[in-house]
Amino acid sequence: MMCLLELFFILAALANTGLSLSCMQCSSTTTSCTGSSVTCSSGNKCGVIYTTTTAGSSTTSSYAMSCLSSDQCSLSGSLTTNDMRLKTAASCCSTDNCIPSLPSLPGDSSVYNGVTCRSCLSASSTWCYTSDTIKCTGNENMCLLQSTEISGSQSLATAIRGCSTQSFCNLGSQSSSANGLSSSIKFVCTSGSSGLRQGFYLPAVICLFFLKLLI
C-alpha cells in the first residue's frame, strides 16, 4: 500500500481552487519532484507532505507537493502497529511555485509510555479489530482506529489500529472530491488513563498509503 494522506490534501486543493497562490503539484518516492502548477484556494500555501513507512527491514518514502491550508503546514506525527511504523511531516512556503524545505520527521523512541493499544491492519475494509496489542512508546500516547475510503474512477478501503501521536487526532475527519475521485478519511482516537484503552473516541484524520497522483 502507498500513503493516502498526500492524496487527500491534493483532492481537497483541486476541489477548492480560486484566484490565489500558484503551487506545483507532483509526487515522488524520493525527496523532490516537479509537476504542473495549480491555483490554490484563498489563504492556502505551497506545501510538501513527506512520509516514510517501515515494515520489517524495508522502508519506503513518499513525497508530494500541492496546496495546503495553514494548519496542515505544521503537521508532524507518527503511528505504529505490530506490522509497520509510519512517520510524516509537512512544510510550506508562501510565494508562487516556491519549493518548501524538506520537513523533519519525528524521531524514534523505545521508551514505553504506559499506554497499550489494539493493533491490526485491513487493506479491504474500513474496519478492523483484533485481540493483538502493542505497547506504545515515546510521544505515541493515543490509540487510533483510522479508516480511509476512496471511490470513483478508483476505489480503496483501509483500516488501521495502533499507537499514534496526538497531532493526528487534532486534524478532524474530512472528505473531498476532485477529478472523478471522492475521499473520506476518519481517524478515531481514544483518550483516558494508561493501560489498554477502550471506550470514548474522538474523530481525527490521517491515512496511509496513497494512489498514483491524480490519474
Side-chain angles (χ1 to χ4, degrees), residues 8-142:
F8 172 76
F9 289 136
I10 292 166
L11 287 173
L14 288 178
N16 295 285
T17 55
L19 296 178
S20 190
L21 199 66
S22 295
C23 298
M24 273 199 297
Q25 178 182 287
C26 60
S27 68
S28 172
T29 56
T30 64
T31 55
S32 64
C33 64
T34 57
S36 58
S37 179
V38 297
T39 302
C40 302
S41 58
S42 179
N44 280 12
K45 299 180 179 180
C46 297
V48 160
I49 302 265
Y50 179 54
T51 303
T52 62
T53 305
T54 300
S57 60
S58 175
T59 298
T60 58
S61 301
S62 63
Y63 176 100
M65 287 201 299
S66 190
C67 310
L68 294 182
S69 63
S70 296
D71 59 336
Q72 293 163 351
C73 291
S74 59
L75 175 66
S76 177
S78 62
L79 64 89
T80 303
T81 73
N82 283 328
D83 299 310
M84 53 75 66
R85 186 167 197 225
L86 178 145
K87 296 193 287 186
T88 191
S91 61
C92 292
C93 55
S94 302
T95 57
D96 282 340
N97 296 313
C98 60
I99 299 177
S101 59
L102 183 68
S104 298
L105 296 173
D108 295 318
S109 175
S110 59
V111 179
Y112 177 47
N113 59 26
V115 176
T116 300
C117 299
R118 306 286 182 184
S119 175
C120 59
L121 294 170
S122 173
S124 59
S125 172
T126 57
W127 172 260
C128 72
Y129 187 82
T130 180
S131 60
D132 295 340
T133 61
I134 181 172
K135 290 186 174 182
C136 304
T137 61
N139 292 326
E140 294 180 357
N141 56 8
M142 301 296 291

